[in-house]
Amino acid sequence: MKTPLDLVQAAKARITEVSLDAAEQALRDADVLIDVREADEFAAGHIPGALHFSRGMLEFKLAADPSLQRRDLQIVLYCKTSGRAALAAASLLDMGYVHVKSIAGGFDAWAAAGKPVNKPATPAFD
């Protein structure tokens, strides 16, 4: 029986994972940046410009949006640490998307490196 880790490792063997150093260029080249974490994770902070399509709804959201159906779109995905993004990238390859990348280390590595993060505004209680 395969474990989730086995599935992630198999996905990572099939996909293109970009290093944190190469991620900023990948984002500049991307047509779309997708955060596949859960809604509460996205709301707590995300990479600027990211769309939120949770891992469980990713394929359905892409299929429902005509602007995201071109199979030659440059897509960059990320999650918390890169496991869900790897699984998502493999799924998109299976759907026929040909330019799919995942950010190694995910959002945690991005934020730890001091890269830009959109966070919710803290209300002022004056």
Side-chain angles (χ1 to χ4, degrees):
M1 183 166 105
K2 291 185 179 183
T3 68
L5 182 57
D6 293 331
L7 296 174
V8 168
Q9 287 176 335
K12 285 189 176 197
R14 296 181 48 212
I15 67 163
T16 301
E17 194 171 47
V18 295
S19 70
L20 199 55
D21 291 337
E24 288 184 32
Q25 183 62 49
L27 295 183
R28 283 191 291 276
D29 296 340
D31 294 309
V32 62
L33 170 64
I34 302 173
D35 183 324
V36 299
R37 299 176 300 156
E38 296 301 315
D40 60 329
E41 294 173 290
F42 182 82
H46 56 273
I47 297 175
L51 299 177
H52 175 251
F53 296 160
S54 65
R55 172 67 198 100
M57 294 300 296
L58 176 65
E59 296 85 351
F60 301 103
K61 295 275 191 175
L62 289 172
D65 186 335
S67 70
L68 298 174
Q69 292 176 6
R70 278 190 12 246
R71 296 312 196 245
D72 64 343
L73 286 173
Q74 297 283 336
I75 300 173
V76 176
L77 304 166
Y78 71 92
C79 63
K80 180 174 172 52
T81 60
S82 74
R84 287 175 283 179
L87 295 171
S91 181
L92 294 188
L93 291 175
D94 291 343
M95 289 178 72
Y97 289 93
V98 293
H99 302 291
V100 181
K101 297 176 180 169
S102 172
I103 299 175
F107 181 77
D108 284 359
W110 178 272
K115 298 194 180 286
V117 172
N118 279 359
K119 292 190 175 193
T122 304
F125 296 105
D126 294 343

